[in-house]
Amino acid sequence: MNYRLFKDTAIAEIGLGTWQLGSADWGTVNETEALNILNAYTDAGGNFIDTADVYGMGVSEKIIGQFLKTTAKEVFVATKLGRRHDEPNGWPQNFGYEAMKAQTLESMEHLGLSQLFLQQLHCIPTEELREGAVFDHLRRLKSEGLIKHFGASVETAEEALICLEQEGLASLQVIFNLFRQHLADEIFHKAAAKGVALIIRVPLASGLLTGKFTEDTTFASNDHRNFNANGEAFNAGETFSGISFKKGVQLSQTIKTLMPDERLSQWAIRWILDHPEVTTVIPGASKISQVDNNVMASTLPPLPAATHQALRKLYDEEIRQQIRGHY
């Protein structure tokens, strides 16, 4: 595993996203499997785990909390707030200071931590980001010692640019992959200039960039790749990066022909890591084998410049116009 700096902390360039471990929106992962995934990741040298309070409404955080009690390894956990709909702190009341503090304290309790390494806004409305009070609340939580760093997970380049104007912002979490290449042009240089870490989510486009799906592949009823395939439940970009499933399967096979060998998912992650502004990539996993596969991307050499050029040409000519949802 290779590491990159998040402020003054060396974190793994391959992190672990844990939406799957909430057993919500990805099918079911039982507790034993979840703990085995966490152990496999840290055994491979990983030390950065991303979660959120709404991943199973606390399930993911609680499982990570159990894991932290059993490991001697140093692990840095990032969580997120802002998308809860439960009372009394549900959307949209959850953008006040008291609600944000209550949710931060609850995440700390779930994780068994006295301070969160990173608290992030979780794709909240653009107008809330623009108004800016939420960042004042995060700065206050930091001054109170409840969080070490704060950042924002965003849906669009516009939202990323709004956040980059905020003093003290430590990180931006964005969708960036071979189906979303343009973001590098729009925000990466500015983020690097401001010393803001880039956390890359949906790196494999919800599994499309593994190359293992066919047009006939189906998903469980409680898997967002079934119920949000066209953006029915939330932004289409969170599922298959907004590309229609069948078109995504076809494009993934084309991308595969441009790679050095058959390891499409590893090269897709390596392509992201080839961007020096990126701090960490957070693919999820519902199996140990997926953890092992994702981590191996850290051992691959950079892709040749000619491959990068061919992949960008394909994006500009055939992929970008296929994106649905706001981005």
Side-chain angles (χ1 to χ4, degrees), residues 40-217:
Y41 171 67
T42 54
D43 285 348
N47 69 354
F48 183 76
I49 297 172
D50 179 83
T51 186
D53 56 4
V54 291
Y55 293 169
M57 288 305 294
V59 171
S60 177
E61 288 182 331
K62 289 175 183 177
I63 288 174
I64 294 167
Q66 290 182 45
F67 167 72
L68 294 176
K69 291 177 183 177
T70 65
T71 184
K73 298 182 177 72
E74 186 173 33
V75 179
F76 304 99
V77 180
T79 192
K80 300 183 284 292
L81 59 76
R83 295 198 66 87
R84 285 172 56 164
H85 290 262
D86 57 319
E87 295 297 337
N89 296 323
W91 186 295
Q93 297 89 348
N94 50 355
F95 306 126
Y97 167 74
E98 293 300 333
M100 287 175 62
K101 181 175 182 179
Q103 292 176 49
T104 295
L105 289 171
E106 188 169 309
S107 289
M108 290 165 60
E109 181 181 358
H110 290 165
L111 293 164
L113 297 172
S114 59
Q115 183 187 58
L116 298 179
F117 176 73
L118 175 64
Q119 177 65 287
Q120 303 161 97
L121 300 172
H122 196 175
C123 301
I124 70 173
T126 308
E127 57 268 25
E128 293 289 341
L129 297 173
R130 188 177 289 114
E131 195 276 331
V134 286
F135 295 101
D136 292 332
H137 304 333
L138 289 169
R139 281 186 277 266
R140 184 174 173 185
L141 293 173
K142 182 177 179 180
S143 71
E144 293 172 348
L146 298 180
I147 63 177
K148 184 173 183 180
H149 302 291
F150 66 84
S153 180
V154 297
E155 298 279 14
T156 69
E158 177 193 12
E159 291 170 352
L161 292 170
I162 291 169
C163 293
L164 283 170
E165 295 304 315
Q166 289 291 334
E167 184 67 30
L169 186 81
S171 64
L172 274 175
Q173 186 175 139
V174 297
I175 298 173
F176 181 64
N177 58 45
L178 286 162
F179 290 153
R180 286 289 186 96
Q181 298 184 34
H182 67 277
L183 203 63
D185 307 333
E186 298 175 1
I187 72 161
F188 277 27
H189 178 73
K190 188 167 186 178
K194 288 180 171 287
V196 173
L198 289 173
I199 300 170
I200 306 304
R201 73 178 188 278
V202 200
L204 297 178
S206 307
L208 274 178
L209 288 167
T210 65
K212 296 179 179 179
F213 298 159
T214 70
E215 293 182 19
D216 298 321
T217 300

Side-chain angles (χ1 to χ4, degrees), residues 281-318:
V281 184
I282 52 169
S286 56
K287 301 175 183 177
I288 290 176
S289 59
Q290 293 171 349
V291 175
D292 295 338
N293 180 78
N294 295 338
V295 167
M296 285 299 295
S298 184
T299 69
L300 295 178
L303 285 161
T307 301
H308 276 276
Q309 292 164 6
L311 290 166
R312 184 54 190 255
K313 185 174 187 289
L314 177 67
Y315 179 74
D316 290 337
E317 294 180 355
E318 299 187 38

